[in-house]
Amino acid sequence: MKIKIGEKKIEKEFKEGKSFWELWKELKKDASLPLCVKVNGVIRDLRDEVEGKESIEFLFDGEEALEVLRHSASHLLAQAVLQLWPGTKTGVGPPIKDGFYYDFHRKEPFTSQDLEKIEKRMLKLSEQNMEIRREIWPKGKAIDYFRKKGQNFKIELIEEKAEGDVSVYAQGEFVDFCRGPHVPSTGYVKYFKILSVSAAYWKGDENRESMQRIYGTAFFTKEALDKYLHFLEEAKKRDHRKLGKALNLFLVSEEIGPGLILWLPKGGIVRKIIEDYWRNEHIRKGYDIIFTPHIADLNLWQTSGHLDFYKENMFPPMEKDNVSYQLKPMNCPFHIVMFKSKLHSYRDLPIRWAELGTVYRYERSGVLHGLLRVRGFTQDDAHIFCTPEQMEDEILSTLNFAREILSTFGFTEYDIFLSTRPEKFVGAIKEWDRAEDALKKALDRSGMEYEIDPGAGVFYGPKIDIKIRDVLGRTWQCSTIQVDFNLPQRFGIYYVEEDGKHQTPIMIHRALLGSIERFFGVLIEHYGGAFPLWLSPVQVEIIPITERNHDYALKLENSLRQAYVRVETDLRNEKLGYKIREAHLNKIPYVMVLGDKEEKEGEISLRIRGKGDMGRMRFSKFLNMLKEKIKNKGQEL
RNA sequence: GCCGACGUAGCUCAACAGGAAGAGCAGCUGAUUCGUAAUCAGCAGGUCAGGGGUUCAAAUCCCCUCGUCGGCUCCA
């Protein structure tokens, strides 16, 4: 039998019938305690019996053990809730990415005071260090037990999931239907925090009961827990809605409507910089820039099929002169009609048409969220019409293009997913295979790592999604590259082949930033509102020390403005410290302080955001440095 | 859309348990002309989200609507 303890490997004969727990006690040399064991690759309870010739690994930490710990924490939560409010019905309580939750059903809502009470009770239960035992019950016994307790959700789960005997876990008076595994006793769950409560449908079904879901998190050590709580605070500080208000970037107004964004001047200029960069790069990559209207004849949406499969996301049509017009939820049908307006030869392909197209989608009120989920937004859309042979190269260059653009905004880590054919799909399987193959080959050639998400493609074609990671390690869906078999057929578009035959082109939809609104929101959070120089709404703040220096300040302001530098001068009758503080709070990258000394020598005193006072330098030197840095679009100041 | 919480000055937030709406910042006016994260004084600013109800009396209690937040579901 092979046993692994941390990095150490031991070969040892061991008798059957003992538990891993006992085995550990015989082997252990120090006070460290494993949470669970991995037996032939499967995570098991320490209380399970050793069967003989397994390869055993004792787990002390790591992702798998953390999941076990959090799962046990969720049981602790349920036990605490049942002790505090007997009769509460319990649902499911799994570990999740950053912690765990447990679903409960009862009339009264849990208040934040209740959450505190629960946490205290959990602490007490942890201190009691109750044994956590797995028991195997006959199905009938389990159902009887939970019926007596009035736990109808548990019964539903047992009837669905259990085949023969039922695995339950018991700690003190609390028994839960659960597959496990768990830590050996409640004392293992020490460092945890109850975070929030919200609603969740039973089994995610809108038609079923609404449960109250209590979220929490748990870690191996106090340090790790504190680190995570600190991360939550940091994320809160970076909230784009908060920063958007503080930095006057954008506004959502009740008077305008929910999910509709007003771009204030400070945000507007950032958007302009992003869009200019975007357009210029597209032209450089062989795209053409096009524009299309915001509404179109309803018939267009009939042809495109959106009325069939997208209706619930569309605002209702408006009628005038016996024509119904539809506010557009997508740009693609316009581009298709434009393709159709001219006869295309295979020699024309690939055609790459890009548009910053503003679309409107009806989103259910509960899902709106700052800039990240809105009802009117501008997609950085493009459609590539190409031959099947060109598909792979086009996808590869799009991938590289995406990488280039995203890294300019400081995003260099991605999670990439290739989504393949779902159960419901249009087009021939042969086409799907070809497209999936092209996407896969392009990904392989790009050298980027990716995961395959089987069956997650859209009904009209397979796709690649790129999720970016921000400085806090959070992921955001932005870029998407989708092959479409549906629209070209529905609109009957074609190009003329070498031999004169008509051929349906491959259509690739792609967005790199996703939407300008969402991307801006992500950018704000990524940078914490402190934009790099090239994106900053105000790049240089000029602060004259006294009124005597106002003319000099205005002269330099003009020089900077003529060099296309975004500059503001603070002529207010305030002290230097006050103005510096304000520039700092506004996260302005460079501050030029101008007093009598500077004015006399044609110099400036420079402050750099995050670095402080850099001393004096000639204005001309500063200007050259500034222009160079803006041109380079660097992340550092 | 669903469940819960919340909505007070431009912003951030007070107002014990129903009894005359308050502070800081921002704004305006004046004084101060200042060397690296807040100078002082004065003034102005509110249909307490909107509507209805209970009460002698409502920011406060009840109902409805709208919006925001946390999630569910959905998603660029």
Side-chain angles (χ1 to χ4, degrees), chain A residues 345-410:
Chain A
S345 148
Y346 69 96
R347 294 170 196 268
D348 299 339
L349 304 186
I351 284 176
R352 307 184 192 94
W353 283 346
E355 175 182 18
L356 290 164
T358 304
V359 297
Y360 294 87
R361 298 182 184 173
Y362 174 76
E363 298 284 353
R364 300 164 107 189
S365 63
V367 306
L368 301 173
H369 182 93
L371 290 172
L372 301 180
R373 194 72 185 275
V374 296
R375 286 184 174 159
F377 59 97
T378 303
Q379 290 183 306
D380 69 313
D381 212 356
H383 296 97
I384 300 170
F385 300 92
C386 64
T387 68
E389 294 72 35
Q390 290 167 335
M391 182 164 45
E392 186 184 319
D393 281 348
E394 285 305 310
I395 291 162
L396 176 62
S397 53
T398 306
L399 280 170
N400 286 328
F401 192 13
R403 178 156 50 180
E404 196 181 313
I405 296 269
L406 293 173
S407 67
T408 306
F409 291 101

Side-chain angles (χ1 to χ4, degrees), chain A residues 85 104-115 118 197-198 211-214:
Chain A
W85 298 279
F104 302 97
H105 187 80
R106 65 167 194 148
K107 275 213 185 80
E108 304 73 25
F110 290 109
T111 64
S112 46
Q113 289 94 316
D114 289 343
L115 297 189
I118 291 167
V197 57
S198 61
M211 314 286 287
Q212 295 188 62
R213 178 168 294 177
I214 298 180

Side-chain angles (χ1 to χ4, degrees), chain A residues 61-319:
Chain A
D61 48 28
E63 228 166 274
E64 290 164 316
L66 191 55
E67 246 179 53
V68 172
L69 180 78
R70 286 170 171 174
H71 193 179
S72 298
S74 85
H75 277 215
L76 205 62
L77 164 61
Q79 186 177 18
V81 167
L82 285 177
Q83 285 188 2
L84 290 166
W85 298 279
T88 302
K89 292 174 182 180
T90 56
V92 292
I96 50 173
K97 190 172 156 269
D98 291 313
F100 61 88
Y101 67 78
Y102 213 109
D103 284 349
F104 302 97
H105 187 80
R106 65 167 194 148
K107 275 213 185 80
E108 304 73 25
F110 290 109
T111 64
S112 46
Q113 289 94 316
D114 289 343
L115 297 189
E116 279 170 37
K117 244 190 253 173
I118 291 167
E119 196 176 288
K120 271 189 200 138
R121 179 60 64 101
M122 285 173 71
L123 226 46
K124 213 163 113 189
L125 294 173
S126 164
E127 277 161 16
Q128 287 171 9
N129 198 17
M130 282 171 282
E131 190 178 296
I132 301 176
R133 300 177 319 273
R134 181 176 200 234
E135 290 174 19
I136 303 298
W137 291 1
K139 194 166 172 178
K141 180 184 172 186
I143 289 179
D144 280 350
Y145 176 85
F146 287 109
R147 183 167 293 136
K148 263 184 221 141
K149 297 269 177 185
Q151 295 292 359
N152 51 307
F153 295 106
K154 288 292 168 193
I155 294 171
E156 194 178 327
L157 286 177
I158 291 169
E159 300 208 311
E160 246 169 53
K161 296 192 172 177
E163 280 156 24
D165 290 340
V166 171
S167 148
V168 300
Y169 276 80
Q171 56 196 61
E173 81 295 345
F174 175 72
V175 177
D176 202 356
F177 166 59
C178 179
R179 197 171 40 187
H182 282 280
V183 297
S185 65
T186 58
Y188 278 75
V189 187
K190 265 199 189 93
Y191 308 109
F192 57 86
K193 178 91 189 157
I194 296 302
L195 295 169
S196 63
V197 57
S198 61
Y201 300 112
W202 174 239
K203 292 181 179 167
D205 183 346
E206 285 186 44
N207 303 310
R208 294 296 307 266
E209 294 87 339
S210 182
M211 314 286 287
Q212 295 188 62
R213 178 168 294 177
I214 298 180
Y215 286 90
T217 191
F219 289 89
F220 297 121
T221 62
K222 186 173 185 312
E223 290 70 36
L225 174 64
D226 287 346
K227 197 177 150 199
Y228 179 71
L229 296 177
H230 181 260
F231 159 81
L232 289 182
E233 270 176 44
E234 186 59 29
K236 224 178 183 173
K237 267 191 243 162
R238 287 169 178 265
D239 190 316
H240 72 281
R241 294 164 299 187
K242 212 171 167 172
L243 289 169
K245 210 175 252 181
L247 301 174
N248 297 306
L249 298 171
F250 68 93
L251 189 69
V252 183
S253 163
E254 210 174 314
E255 288 177 86
I256 304 296
L260 302 171
I261 306 302
L262 298 162
W263 292 72
L264 296 166
K266 290 282 191 294
I269 189 69
V270 180
R271 175 170 177 163
K272 193 246 177 222
I273 305 297
I274 295 172
E275 291 188 354
D276 283 353
Y277 168 65
W278 186 92
R279 287 205 176 92
N280 289 337
E281 289 309 299
H282 277 73
I283 291 165
R284 204 157 73 94
K285 295 283 192 236
Y287 284 77
D288 300 308
I289 305 292
I290 58 173
F291 296 86
T292 65
H294 287 68
I295 59 172
D297 194 313
L298 193 61
N299 289 326
L300 177 74
W301 306 100
Q302 192 71 260
T303 310
S304 70
H306 285 92
L307 281 181
D308 298 328
F309 62 81
Y310 208 70
K311 198 166 183 197
E312 66 279 14
N313 280 299
M314 287 155 69
F315 281 96
M318 47 197 145
E319 207 186 286

